[in-house]
Amino acid sequence: MLKYKLLTLLLLLLQSAFGQLPGKDTGSKISQEDAQKVLDHHNLVRKEVGVGELVWSNDLAAFAQEWADHLAKNGCRMEHRKQPKINNEPVGENLFWGSSATAYGPMDASLSWYSEIKIYKYGKFGTGNWHAIGHYTQMVWENTKQVGFGVAVCKNGEILVVANYAPAGNYMDQYPY
């Protein structure tokens, strides 16, 4: 836990070192501040493995928001879209659920996905490991260039966070970077 707190502090200190969002409109219900934090965190994680930065996409954020709202209205359960696409191009997707919107937020989602690094061993993405590491590998997938987040609070106060990535990552038998 201390590691995550230190990482969050580092992100706040380095916030201006990474790409800024294009304005107050994020394309979804995620705040400008939270959007910047998760973008900076993703870019810090990507820098660790030597891949280029992501840029924020309002289109991906709107797409993520649409799905987060859908999930919140339909029992607040985590379920991936079947073959998510924008303009007929596949997009990657990470999901996060938290028991309370006051206790969890988008940064908790990003930190949770990053925590999979503990079990990741560099190699080709494959059928034997994708459940355990797929969130992390999507974050660092070298060919991915854009990200957008959506956030929804369910009737019972739980939170859902959806991140969409373009181009999609996590292709079987390929290296993430």
Side-chain angles (χ1 to χ4, degrees), residues 64-76:
Q65 187 63 54
E66 177 185 300
W67 191 243
D69 288 341
H70 167 80
L71 294 174
K73 289 177 189 171
N74 290 284
C76 202

Side-chain angles (χ1 to χ4, degrees), residues 29-30 64-73 76 96 98 101 150-155 157-162:
K29 294 177 184 172
I30 190 172
Q65 187 63 54
E66 177 185 300
W67 191 243
D69 288 341
H70 167 80
L71 294 174
K73 289 177 189 171
C76 202
F96 174 84
V151 179
V153 177
C154 304
K155 291 178 185 175
E158 297 170 347
I159 187 170
L160 292 167
V161 179
V162 177

Side-chain angles (χ1 to χ4, degrees), residues 29-41:
K29 294 177 184 172
I30 190 172
S31 71
Q32 166 75 23
E33 180 183 357
D34 283 344
Q36 189 67 58
K37 285 179 185 176
V38 295
L39 178 63
D40 289 346
H41 181 242

Side-chain angles (χ1 to χ4, degrees), residues 142-153:
E142 184 173 18
N143 293 334
T144 298
K145 306 299 181 199
Q146 300 178 329
V147 66
F149 274 62
V151 179
V153 177

